[in-house]
Amino acid sequence: MASIINSLAVPSSYRDQLYQGSSNQLSDDLSTTATLYVGNLSFFTTEEQIYELFGKCGEIKRIIMGLDRNNKTPCGFCFVEYYHRSDALDCMKYTNGTKLDERVIRCDLDPGFKEGRQFGRGKSGGQVRDEYRTEYDAGRGGWGHRMRLQLERDRERNIKENYEAIKEIPKGAEEYKSRASVHQGSKRRYDDGKESDSRKRTKEMNPRFRENDEDEED
């Protein structure tokens, strides 16, 4: 029966540029896969949170968190492998476009996880999208990598242009320093004397010390 509503359980038009295989092989892999690619995650989203949400659609085989290639910290994506393809299709249908950690996540069929794909492909170690992102995103590390470098360069230039380093010691600074040293030494001697008096009073008040003193007198 024909329908005017497109099925939500179909993969998007996105293709992994580093997929090693022909287009026919990719189509075959996507037609049998039980693996999902999940994108637009917060860097702070945990594996437990993903398991709690995606586990509602079926039994999960494993979750592979996407990691920054350099820092080995989460960088905003993951792979979810199910035991059954039907569960992966249901999950894509029900969770794609929903919110996790106050972020709209994207779910898509993946031809299958291979070792090495868990690492970001950007020059800085994260995802490529975070290299060129110009808006501030607190859930994904703040500014994009290139934007952050540009802001740091602007800040350094602003400091260099508007702030001048102190070349001469201000008049009176040495006098203040010596006066502070004298005060600190006096305070230390006062504290040592106070501690000694306190220890002496404790000894006089302690019966054990008084008994020993009486024995010595006898």
Side-chain angles (χ1 to χ4, degrees):
M1 180 178 177
S3 173
I4 61 173
I5 301 177
N6 295 327
S7 174
L8 297 176
V10 294
S12 69
S13 58
Y14 172 78
R15 294 293 179 268
D16 183 1
Q17 299 299 319
L18 298 183
Y19 176 80
Q20 298 178 348
S22 63
S23 57
N24 291 334
Q25 185 178 351
L26 177 60
S27 298
D28 292 340
D29 290 342
L30 290 175
S31 65
T32 58
T33 186
T35 302
L36 291 179
Y37 171 86
V38 184
N40 200 40
L41 292 172
S42 166
F43 289 2
F44 306 102
T45 298
T46 64
E47 184 175 338
E48 289 76 15
Q49 289 175 284
I50 296 170
Y51 192 95
E52 181 180 2
L53 175 62
F54 286 77
K56 298 180 184 298
C57 297
E59 188 176 0
I60 294 175
K61 183 178 181 180
R62 65 171 175 166
I63 296 173
I64 303 99
M65 298 295 293
L67 302 175
D68 184 290
R69 188 175 64 255
N70 300 326
N71 301 325
K72 303 301 184 291
T73 53
C75 65
F77 71 96
C78 74
F79 299 90
V80 180
E81 292 183 351
Y82 286 93
Y83 283 100
H84 305 290
R85 174 177 170 81
S86 59
D87 294 336
L89 294 176
D90 287 341
C91 186
M92 184 172 62
K93 179 168 41 177
Y94 297 126
T95 63
N96 184 35
T98 59
K99 280 190 173 185
L100 177 61
D101 259 1
E102 301 301 319
R103 299 184 67 86
V104 177
I105 59 175
R106 298 190 301 271
C107 303
D108 203 359
L109 284 179
D110 187 85
F113 173 78
K114 291 183 179 180
E115 185 61 32
R117 292 189 64 200
Q118 72 268 38
F119 299 119
R121 297 173 180 172
K123 292 182 179 180
S124 63
Q127 286 192 280
V128 175
R129 58 171 291 195
D130 291 314
E131 290 283 329
Y132 303 96
R133 178 167 47 79
T134 57
E135 72 278 4
Y136 185 87
D137 189 339
R140 294 183 69 89
W143 297 105
H145 180 67
R146 292 196 174 189
M147 188 67 179
R148 183 168 62 251
L149 292 178
Q150 181 62 45
L151 291 173
E152 289 175 358
R153 284 194 294 266
D154 293 343
R155 178 176 176 274
E156 290 176 359
R157 185 171 60 252
N158 181 57
I159 291 175
K160 187 175 181 181
E161 293 176 353
N162 297 288
Y163 296 91
E164 184 178 358
I166 298 176
K167 298 179 181 179
E168 296 180 359
I169 299 176
K171 186 178 180 180
E174 289 296 335
E175 182 183 350
Y176 173 80
K177 183 177 179 181
S178 60
R179 193 185 311 156
S181 300
V182 172
H183 174 72
Q184 186 175 4
S186 300
K187 185 176 184 300
R188 189 181 297 113
R189 287 193 298 271
Y190 172 76
D191 292 340
D192 292 343
K194 187 176 180 181
E195 183 178 354
S196 178
D197 293 341
S198 176
R199 192 181 298 113
K200 185 177 180 181
R201 284 196 300 272
T202 302
K203 184 176 179 180
E204 292 174 352
M205 294 173 62
N206 194 322
R208 182 169 61 86
F209 287 107
R210 288 206 298 271
E211 291 173 2
N212 292 339
D213 293 340
E214 292 173 359
D215 294 338
E216 292 177 357
E217 292 177 357
D218 293 341

